[in-house]
Amino acid sequence: MTQLADRTPDTAAPPGTELPQSRHLATELPGPRSRALMARKASAVAAGVGTTVPVFAARAGGGIVEDVDGNRFIDLGSGIAVTTVGASHPAVVAAVQAQVEQFTHTCFMVTPYEPYVAVAERLNALTPGDHAKRTALFNSGAEAVENAVKIARHATGRDAVVVFDHAYHGRTNLTMAMTAKAMPYKSGFGPFAGEVYRAPLSYPFRDGGLSGAEAAARAIDVVEKQVGADQVACVVIEPVQGEGGFIEPAPGFLPALAAWCRENGALFVADEVQTGVGRTGDWFACDHEGVVPDLVVVAKGVAGGMPLSAVTGRAELVDAVHTGGLGGTYGGNPVACAAALAALEAVERDGLLARAREVERLVKGRLHALAARDPRVGDVRGRGAMLGVELVGEDGLTPDPALAAAVAGAAKAQGVIVLTCGTHGNVLRFLPPLSTSDELLHDAFDVLDAAFATTTTTTAAAR
Ligand SMILES: Cc1ncc(COP(=O)(O)O)c(C=O)c1O
């Protein structure tokens, strides 16, 4: 790869970070240091742990990741929707440093500490609904999803868990059962947990014009006939689907499901692991239609890059669980809690909900212009800074995963981190940190436009 000069001016780095906010290719990709580290990785790290971009990170700040060879990438992935407030946000860094100097761990179940309680108070206030709430903290998204199911089963005395086509809820045993896609998440890892049932989703691009209410009726019919309404402990849904393809259900779908849950004594559980904490332009994606879940699962963006997750829900449901029934050695680690308090404050102080909506306007403008030129872009969708395009063949419908992989690869080769997703792997998803400047976004989408213009690869099926 030839050396590429900066194409954007070095705008000022966010306070506290020294990383220039510009794309810069200093070496071929991957560079020599990354290649050496990749060789070490291959002989030391489990092959099952894959990597998307073949370079090793050295620093990250704002909307930029710099690798060990000095190449700077525009980050349209945020470490899979985690660094929503910006990589190495100075307030998060300062909060982590201050907490580390006090103590790193006591175990909240042994000697509790204030930051855990403060995070619970913040999430109780910020999640949808003004009813009394309680929160329990965990480490990963999957762990929190599992605990939401534990709470739902305990509170209702029922077993069945309803999930949806294309769902992704994690890689632990129960969440593998809840996740839809076999490869790479489930293949060879069974048997899976029982009492998990899958219903059809609202998928406007592929639903043939079904309204949200009609799609909900279709899903409810499956649940009532195949599971039984009185058996359902909870309906667990991503309000905008993440790994499954950034699928935004038709308006009315989520409210109808939530209403059915209320009428039938089942809990409505929103898995907001990827959508939560400002990512979609609201604090939580459920806010968009005024849906109030019984339990909300939060992770990823909540702690500015530190591992923390939460279940927040109606006090009487969460408190139905006996003492000792919830918890874990590291759940609500004090350093992660300090980071979360700083990150949640940054969303407010930095005006990031409004910024997410601006990002949506800018990026959707670019993507609609691309779709108008290139019929392989079948659908532009998403909300806030959680946006995607579904790529298809000449018939306008057949998924084209090879094109998605080729375009993402071409963008990475020019210094833009782009992730793919979707059951068919044919969706490009865009999740920039909300601190990313307009200039950086335009530069990234210039690269993407060029990647589309120069990529002719399509799957045989899509031709
Ligand atoms: C909606 C959703 N739920 C759960 C998870 C699992 O989270 P984790 O990887 O932290 O276990 C993810 C991760 O991508 C997710 O997007």
Side-chain angles (χ1 to χ4, degrees):
M1 152 110 17
T2 50
Q3 200 162 316
L4 186 79
D6 284 1
R7 295 185 54 207
T8 53
D10 269 18
T11 49
T17 68
E18 289 139 24
L19 208 47
Q21 295 296 290
S22 61
R23 182 170 64 95
H24 175 69
L25 297 187
T27 67
E28 76 279 8
L29 294 180
R33 292 198 174 106
S34 279
R35 286 202 302 273
L37 284 166
M38 267 305 167
R40 280 175 58 197
K41 172 185 178 283
S43 55
V45 178
V49 183
T51 47
T52 305
V53 188
V55 300
F56 276 70
R59 298 192 296 169
I64 293 286
V65 175
E66 186 176 72
D67 76 6
V68 288
D69 293 289
N71 300 297
R72 290 198 302 273
F73 291 76
I74 301 175
D75 185 6
L76 296 186
S78 294
I80 319 187
V82 170
T83 53
T84 307
V85 295
S88 310
H89 190 290
V92 173
V93 172
V96 165
Q97 284 169 340
Q99 180 56 45
V100 163
E101 284 173 13
Q102 299 306 311
F103 59 96
T104 56
H105 176 82
T106 62
C107 185
F108 189 77
M109 299 185 304
V110 178
T111 317
Y113 37 85
E114 197 261 350
Y116 186 119
V117 178
V119 171
E121 288 168 345
R122 290 300 289 139
L123 290 176
N124 292 347
L126 291 169
T127 48
D130 51 13
H131 48 277
K133 296 177 202 153
R134 299 283 187 272
T135 288
L137 300 180
F138 306 96
N139 302 287
S140 69
E143 191 187 359
V145 170
E146 292 234 4
N147 278 280
V149 171
K150 280 170 64 175
I151 293 167
R153 285 177 167 161
H154 205 290
T156 60
R158 301 173 179 182
D159 292 337
V161 176
V162 173
V163 293
F164 289 84
D165 287 337
H166 311 287
Y168 182 84
H169 297 291
R171 298 170 188 259
T172 58
N173 188 265
L174 174 59
T175 58
M176 275 194 294
M178 296 169 70
T179 288
K181 191 171 173 175
M183 201 55 196
Y185 306 124
K186 303 169 74 162
S187 285
F189 298 136
F192 303 112
E195 287 304 313
V196 175
Y197 300 90
R198 199 166 303 285
L201 184 72
S202 165
Y203 190 162
F205 180 58
R206 295 184 178 278
D207 263 354
L210 273 195
S211 69
E214 289 163 342
R218 179 178 66 177
I220 288 165
D221 189 55
V222 168
V223 174
E224 290 182 341
K225 300 291 186 317
Q226 298 182 22
V227 188
D230 60 353
Q231 304 298 305
V232 177
C234 56
V235 171
V236 184
I237 189 161
E238 301 155 80
V240 178
Q241 266 196 347
E243 307 301 303
F246 276 33
I247 304 164
E248 192 185 2
F253 183 71
L254 296 175
L257 288 179
W260 181 87
C261 284
R262 259 194 318 278
E263 286 154 19
N264 290 280
L267 305 196
F268 183 81
V269 180
D271 179 347
E272 295 246 15
V273 166
Q274 191 152 166
T275 51
V277 195
R279 177 52 65 183
T280 64
D282 289 296
W283 271 106
F284 293 92
C286 279
D287 291 329
H288 186 67
E289 288 188 274
V291 170
V292 178
D294 298 299
L295 302 175
V296 182
V297 184
V298 185
K300 291 191 184 280
V302 71
M306 297 295 288
L308 187 77
S309 62
V311 179
T312 299
R314 293 185 188 281
E316 68 280 12
L317 301 173
V318 179
D319 281 348
V321 178
H322 49 272
T323 302
L326 303 175
T329 305
Y330 291 111
N333 169 271
V335 183
C337 286
L341 292 171
L344 292 169
E345 199 183 314
V347 172
E348 268 169 358
R349 201 190 39 242
D350 299 352
L352 295 184
L353 302 186
R355 179 61 190 152
R357 292 171 189 209
E358 283 170 14
V359 169
E360 175 179 343
R361 274 192 293 279
L362 186 156
V363 174
K364 272 197 173 160
R366 297 293 307 247
L367 295 176
H368 282 301
L370 173 67
R373 291 194 299 278
D374 194 330
R376 298 173 299 175
V377 178
D379 195 25
V380 175
R381 59 183 183 240
R383 286 205 305 272
M386 183 174 180
L387 302 164
V389 286
E390 178 157 356
L391 306 185
V392 293
E394 274 170 14
D395 62 0
L397 222 51
T398 305
D400 194 345
L403 176 62
V407 169
K412 278 179 247 172
Q414 293 301 317
V416 179
I417 297 173
V418 176
L419 307 178
T420 59
C421 66
T423 298
H424 302 285
N426 65 325
V427 177
L428 293 174
R429 55 170 155 173
F430 310 109
L431 292 157
L434 295 176
S435 58
T436 309
S437 67
D438 286 0
E439 289 77 12
L440 270 190
L441 290 173
H442 277 301
D443 186 30
F445 283 92
D446 287 347
V447 167
L448 206 82
D449 283 350
F452 269 96
T454 53
T455 305
T456 51
T457 316
T458 54
T459 51
R463 255 179 242 132

